Amino acid sequence: MGWFKEPDRLDGTPSLHVVSVAGPKAATWSGGGFLLGDNTVLTCAHVVNDALGRPPFETRTPGLEELQVMIRRPYDASLRCPARVAHWIPPRAEDGGPVPDGAAEWLGDLAVLRIDLAPGKGVAPPLRGPLRIGQKVRAWHASGRESTFADLTVKTDEGPIAYLDGSPTGMSIGPGYSGGPLWSPVDKAVIGLVTAHFMPPADPATGQPRAHSPQHLIRRSWCVPWQRVEAELRAVGALEEQDPAPVAVDDPAYVLLVSAISDALPVASQRGDLARRLAEGCGVGHGGAVVPPSVEEFAAFLLSHPRALPVLTELLRREERELTQRLLVAGRLSRVPRLLSPREHHLLHQLLRGLDRAVLDRFGEVVRAALPLVAAFPGGETLDALLDHLETLAGDGRSEDGEPRVPALLRVMEYVGVLCAPAQRAGLRLWADGVAARLGIPRSALAERRSDAQEWARVVRHRSTRSRVLVHVTRAEPGRHRLRIWCDEGAGPRQVSTDTTVSYSAREGARELLRVLESLGPTVVDGQRPLVEVLVDRSSLNLPVDEWEGQAPGEIVPGVLGVEFPLVVHCPELLRRHERFLPDWRRRWSLLDSGTTLVVSDASTDPNKVYYELMDRLDTVRVSVDAAPDLRDRVVQICLAVGIPVVVWDRGRGSGHVVKRLAEVATRELPDGVRSYRANTMIRPLEYPGRPVLAWADADRTVPRLHLTEPQEGP
């Protein structure tokens, strides 16, 4: 095992691997889970939904909602600690849609929780291994009591789920077992996640279980095999820190680390003392005080444990500055070392837990403002997924004389700080000062980023945030649509509709949207009406939602959506499918008031030429398309895919009037300009013959994560 040793994995008492999951104030446990890493727990998404009082198959990310978990430790008291969702893979049907009520089987249903656990307080996570047919396995209730064990046999090992049959004696799987580990005593490893149980048949009249019959299915459950769990988690980046690849002897980082340690710590006793302190800081065991680790073993550990290098530089930074810098330079050549030590990581999460919810709700906006050139962020959209990703990003690109750059995470925290109350801001700045000092970053460099954040805050304070209603429109049966609606008064989208099974006609959809819009009213600051942002896939860019009328019998006004409210379309699918253009999109949006406009009006234009021209004109923020429908739609999609934030076209005959008339309107005023044009169409249709569409992709504001036309996954 080497000199650096993993702590006891509790394999002698595997029931201790069960972690209990509940809501913030619940008296009973909703389900189980198990430690995935030092500060992460894996459970089922439907367990989280139950703990938060939500429907079991709810797909929305819980966001910043807190849970509580209990971790059991040998020879010590159990630990209760707060947790929140870091990675969310909601339950989904075989076709990728929502799981219908009463379903017996489904896909997905995984949640990784970030727990607030002080360094050195946890236990080692269990080993994981593949599920195979015929394995004898064991599961426990979420209470973790050893007496609740249920013995089962794996009956299938192909496909996204595996079936298990329970022993005819003893406990059977039931409520409270979901999310818990499926333990293989032979392999001494977790091989799956308990998910659901087939309950005995019930009498349809009374709901009570029927009298037992030998023909009834008894004690059958199903789980998600570890191999499937692993594939799902890797797809969202939830296993990168847990399973680093073996260290290669020709790895440049390894070679430099061996050289630095050999030069600075040639004496075995000195190296042994430092190694013991390093092991304790990382929460791992060690080989004792008699024989120190070899230089090679020391270096390999720094590239195996993600937070070992930050711990070591914490120990050395005051007395061995030259060695510290050599270690940091070597570490940048590897993807394994994280930015923060366990102490710094824990303190950051404590500080963030103390921030106002309104500040944390703006975290995505803050990241985009602080890092405008970063190409992409993880799809999970949770705070912890963003924090994990930010730790992997290098500095912001500005340094002098080879000085270390300010890491992306520190820059973001400076931007978060300017939104906080003074006491909270001081805490974040003290934290950033400590990390910067350990990394050898000059105070002047961090002060410059702090000044950038203060300037951004001044601009934001003087810019009113327009309220908006976001509506995801998908086609149902002919002439009807399904709607999901969010409101955003400036703190990020909050969903106000939850039933995605209801379909609406155009009139019914308009009434529903008008009902939500009436609840918002004009923007308090300047009296602007809310913006309606219609989220569609690329096949629905010409859907005439702006023409939907919501007039009910007995009402006086027609209630035309695009006449009463500025209404724009947004196609996140095209941006997401071409993520290499995300930096261009953010840069173009930042130039909204000064960028140029491209007019595409030649009916013979090759769409590829438009692409080449946009690649040459990176200051283009607006494209007006006046072309025949087939060419128009191709050009529009190319513009949106490469990150043009504002595109205008006429979904009608394409007479050119829309493009000509709206050319007089400033780009930032286009939503209201297009609304005015639509009103004039109703008054003077001969003078205003167009049917304008405005695609509007605001890089400063978030949209919900949508399942649009991405490939669906079957079993």
Side-chain angles (χ1 to χ4, degrees), residues 127-138 152-165 180-184 187 189-195 221-230:
L127 293 173
R128 286 95 62 177
L131 176 145
R132 301 181 302 275
I133 193 170
Q135 284 173 302
K136 303 294 183 181
V137 293
R138 181 164 284 190
L152 309 102
T153 302
V154 178
K155 292 297 184 179
T156 63
D157 60 3
E158 296 181 359
I161 65 177
Y163 298 101
L164 314 162
D165 280 356
L182 198 64
W183 177 257
S184 168
D187 300 300
V190 173
I191 63 168
L193 205 66
V194 179
T195 309
S221 308
W222 63 270
C223 73
V224 186
W226 174 251
Q227 47 266 48
R228 176 69 175 197
V229 173
E230 187 174 35

Side-chain angles (χ1 to χ4, degrees), residues 583-602:
D584 294 340
W585 167 51
R586 295 192 177 98
R587 182 179 182 277
R588 292 181 197 269
W589 179 262
S590 70
L591 301 173
L592 194 66
D593 297 311
S594 59
T596 63
T597 298
L598 173 66
V599 178
V600 179
S601 58
D602 186 354

Side-chain angles (χ1 to χ4, degrees), residues 29 86 117 207 280 293 342 427 438 461 595 645 649:
W29 303 111
L117 193 62
E280 292 166 0
R438 175 177 63 81
R461 278 195 298 269
W649 70 95

Side-chain angles (χ1 to χ4, degrees), residues 363-436:
F363 198 83
E365 173 194 351
V366 170
V367 171
R368 287 188 296 277
L371 307 171
L373 300 182
V374 173
F377 298 103
E381 270 102 22
T382 67
L383 173 63
D384 290 272
L386 275 172
L387 289 171
D388 286 346
H389 184 65
L390 290 171
E391 272 202 85
T392 68
L393 300 180
D396 58 14
R398 287 187 282 169
S399 64
E400 298 179 1
D401 301 325
E403 293 175 340
R405 299 172 178 176
V406 179
L409 179 60
L410 267 62
R411 183 178 175 94
V412 169
M413 287 305 120
E414 292 296 340
Y415 278 64
V416 172
V418 296
L419 300 179
C420 299
Q424 297 169 332
R425 183 185 311 129
L428 286 172
R429 286 182 172 177
L430 286 172
W431 173 86
D433 288 341
V435 177

